Amino acid sequence: MKRSERLMFLAGVLCAACAVTFGVVRTKEQKEKIKNSDAVILTIPADTVTALSWETGTENLSFHKEEMWTYDEDAAFPVDEEKIGELLEIFEEFGVSFVIEDVEDYGQYGLDDPEGTIRLEAGEESYEILLGDFSAMDSERYVSIGDGNAYLVKEDPMDSFNIGLSSVIKNDQVPAMDQVERIRFTGPEAYEIFYEEDSTATYSPGDIYFTSRDEKTLPLDTSRVTTYLNTVMGLGLSDYVSYNAAEEELSGYGLDEPQLVVETEYTTENEDGKEETGTFTLSVSRDPEEKEDDETVTAYARVGESGIIYRLLSGDYEKLMKMTYNDLRHQEVLPADRYDITGLTVVLEGETYQLESRGKDSDRKWTYAGEETDTAALLDALLALEAESFTEEAPAGKEEIRMTVFLDNENYPQVTVALYRYDGEYCLAEVDGEPVSLVPRSQAVDLTEAVHGIVLSGGNK
């Protein structure tokens, strides 16, 4: 064959090859048509679904429903019906943004080896949803439902289904305790707190929680009790270590004989706006294998008689154990409102000083020796006296200062606070003749200096 003829032959072959390639491309373009879509590709009412399973990475979970949802691997597992409902809600109206029709190569969309597979049964219908790669252009996920197409979806099911068994457990709920009427503690101390408004057992109008000791009604610090209750309500119980603990297993968590049991009687408002009452019980224990001086704390909690045992955060455990009377009582020596203080009689270094006032609240004017005076520093120092520790020890040292505080309170018209020398660091505070606490000596110095600042100036502002 001549050279010119060979060239013509090769040119013909090349043209034929191009034509074939062009035809293949055209055929593929015809078969895989990509277009925008707002179609809803699945409408599966959640209440019709009787089986649900999913595989995502290392998770392979399956559930079925008769009257209630049940975990296939263990019927004792407490399934969260609401969580299953949330998962199924995605497919009640499953919409897409793009459709790729007549797919031949699912691999290019990650659908030959999907990242996730979700299966549902509803009535006589079965569904399999494959979750592929993300689109490089708009970061939406490719999905197949077995109809020959691939889709880019508006809502990625992986966002909801990439979860483990712990996410579908029906955890015990800590109720919203709008008002706690009573708290019972059994543990480091066994005692009871009760709620009472407008009590005659306190000179602080903000006191609403009380306890009884030695036949006396004693006020507690409202903010401390409220903080404690907020700790209980904010536990967020979810880190379970057992979801069906039998009675004989409780000892392994120290919950056969808990370190602490907190029982609350409360009222709350239901969805209909009606008031409901209830009782909530929480048992707490440190891991019995740990020693008291271990740096880390492992602790467990149980709600009522539930079979679920939860691991507590170390910080939450420590906060819960701060429940004694001394933890929740007023730390201030005189927990009074400064605007309720109407007069002061001070005994200091053998001298007695009388301060009087007239007016109300922030308009109250103070006088000493007939001259108007500024008592802000004195009242600040008095109300700043705070317990470093509590004591019932009778004072043995020298009395350093005594103040009789007159109050605008019909139940407690006056309270006497005395500070006694204790040691180089502390003074012993006594209230109405009863030893109460040790306070830093520096606070006693601030108080005496504030008195000197008034009396040495003759009351002049």
Side-chain angles (χ1 to χ4, degrees):
M1 184 181 292
K2 295 181 179 180
R3 185 171 180 275
S4 60
E5 291 175 341
R6 283 201 304 273
L7 289 173
M8 290 179 65
F9 174 75
L10 292 173
V13 170
L14 180 60
C15 288
C18 288
V20 170
T21 301
F22 179 75
V24 169
V25 171
R26 290 290 297 169
T27 300
K28 188 166 186 177
E29 285 180 351
Q30 289 175 0
K31 285 186 175 181
E32 294 195 2
K33 297 176 183 177
I34 304 176
K35 59 184 180 182
N36 292 330
S37 174
D38 58 359
V40 173
I41 60 172
L42 288 175
T43 53
I44 310 172
D47 59 3
T48 67
V49 179
T50 56
L52 170 66
S53 64
W54 65 89
E55 300 170 20
T56 53
T58 58
E59 296 295 339
N60 188 345
L61 303 173
S62 59
F63 304 83
H64 69 277
K65 181 180 181 181
E66 292 176 4
E67 292 184 3
M68 305 288 287
W69 282 99
T70 301
Y71 177 43
D72 289 352
E73 296 296 320
D74 186 354
F77 181 85
V79 177
D80 186 340
E81 302 273 324
E82 289 187 8
K83 182 62 179 179
I84 297 294
E86 290 173 8
L87 295 174
L88 295 175
E89 194 174 291
I90 300 170
F91 303 112
E92 289 194 322
E93 194 170 339
F94 191 46
V96 302
S97 54
F98 283 87
V99 58
I100 306 164
E101 297 178 343
D102 303 321
V103 176
E104 289 189 347
D105 181 11
Y106 284 96
Q108 63 184 315
Y109 309 116
L111 292 167
D112 58 341
D113 184 18
E115 289 189 22
T117 302
I118 302 166
R119 298 180 179 87
L120 301 91
E121 294 180 12
E124 296 181 358
E125 299 293 329
S126 297
Y127 304 88
E128 183 178 69
I129 300 101
L130 305 181
L131 310 180
D133 294 337
F134 280 106
S135 163
M137 183 182 300
D138 48 23
S139 297
E140 291 186 349
R141 190 177 293 279
Y142 289 108
V143 167
S144 167
I145 61 171
D147 61 355
N149 300 328
Y151 301 93
L152 285 173
V153 294
K154 298 175 182 177
E155 184 178 1
D156 183 1
M158 188 68 82
D159 291 342
S160 299
F161 279 87
N162 193 22
I163 56 176
L165 188 61
S166 62
S167 296
V168 290
I169 187 173
K170 184 175 177 58
N171 286 308
D172 298 296
Q173 298 298 307
V174 181
M177 296 179 276
D178 297 334
Q179 182 172 302
V180 174
E181 304 290 346
R182 199 166 293 273
I183 310 170
R184 296 184 187 89
F185 293 112
T186 305
E189 282 187 15
Y191 73 107
E192 188 172 284
I193 295 173
F194 58 90
Y195 178 93
E196 184 177 312
E197 293 183 356
D198 303 321
S199 173
T200 60
T202 178
Y203 47 80
S204 178
D207 288 342
I208 54 175
Y209 293 107
F210 300 84
T211 189
S212 296
R213 284 180 171 248
D214 300 326
E215 299 183 354
K216 293 181 181 178
T217 297
L218 302 174
L220 299 170
D221 187 323
T222 299
S223 64
R224 285 177 170 263
V225 176
T226 300
T227 298
Y228 188 91
L229 291 172
N230 287 339
T231 296
V232 174
M233 288 187 283
L235 285 175
L237 300 173
S238 60
D239 184 12
Y240 72 88
V241 293
S242 174
Y243 57 77
N244 190 30
E247 286 296 318
E248 57 269 20
E249 297 177 61
L250 296 178
S251 61
Y253 306 105
L255 291 170
D256 54 335
E257 296 181 3
Q259 276 184 285
L260 172 65
V261 177
V262 184
E263 183 181 334
T264 60
E265 294 178 8
Y266 64 91
T267 60
T268 190
E269 191 175 281
N270 63 22
E271 295 178 354
D272 299 325
K274 295 180 179 179
E275 193 175 86
E276 288 185 346
T277 61
T279 301
F280 175 76
T281 303
L282 181 75
S283 299
V284 176
S285 271
R286 187 171 178 171
D287 190 319
E289 297 298 320
E290 289 185 349
K291 297 178 181 177
E292 287 297 324
D293 57 353
D294 284 351
E295 292 184 6
T296 60
V297 175
T298 303
Y300 304 102
R302 183 189 188 199
V303 174
E305 299 299 312
S306 171
I308 306 177
I309 308 299
Y310 300 95
R311 183 182 289 108
L312 286 180
L313 294 175
S314 177
D316 286 338
Y317 167 78
E318 290 168 358
K319 290 176 184 177
L320 289 170
M321 296 306 294
K322 291 185 179 299
M323 40 61 65
T324 67
Y325 169 59
N326 284 344
D327 289 322
L328 300 181
R329 67 191 288 189
H330 286 286
Q331 307 298 295
E332 305 92 340
V333 174
L334 183 72
D337 188 320
R338 69 188 301 128
Y339 294 125
D340 287 340
I341 300 175
T342 61
L344 296 168
T345 298
V346 183
V347 179
L348 177 63
E349 298 171 351
E351 298 291 333
T352 301
Y353 309 99
Q354 188 74 40
L355 289 87
E356 299 174 340
S357 74
R358 64 182 183 277
K360 280 282 199 179
D361 299 333
S362 59
D363 294 327
R364 188 182 299 279
K365 304 298 182 184
W366 285 87
T367 59
Y368 167 67
E371 297 288 336
E372 190 171 330
T373 188
D374 184 356
T375 60
L378 175 57
L379 294 178
D380 286 346
L382 173 61
L383 297 176
L385 295 173
E386 188 168 302
E388 186 73 21
S389 61
F390 293 97
T391 182
E392 296 180 357
E393 181 181 349
K398 175 187 174 183
E399 179 181 295
E400 300 210 344
I401 187 170
R402 174 179 294 269
M403 302 184 74
T404 299
V405 183
F406 297 92
L407 300 170
D408 184 13
N409 186 304
E410 61 181 18
N411 299 314
Y412 283 87
Q414 66 182 60
V415 178
T416 299
V417 175
L419 300 181
Y420 295 86
R421 185 173 300 168
Y422 187 77
D423 59 23
E425 273 191 89
Y426 299 105
C427 287
L428 189 150
E430 186 184 76
V431 177
D432 286 342
E434 296 288 335
V436 173
S437 59
L438 298 181
V439 300
R441 186 169 183 76
S442 60
Q443 294 181 358
V445 171
D446 291 342
L447 184 61
T448 56
E449 287 182 350
V451 173
H452 282 140
I454 292 175
V455 300
L456 294 179
S457 65
N460 295 320
K461 297 176 71 174

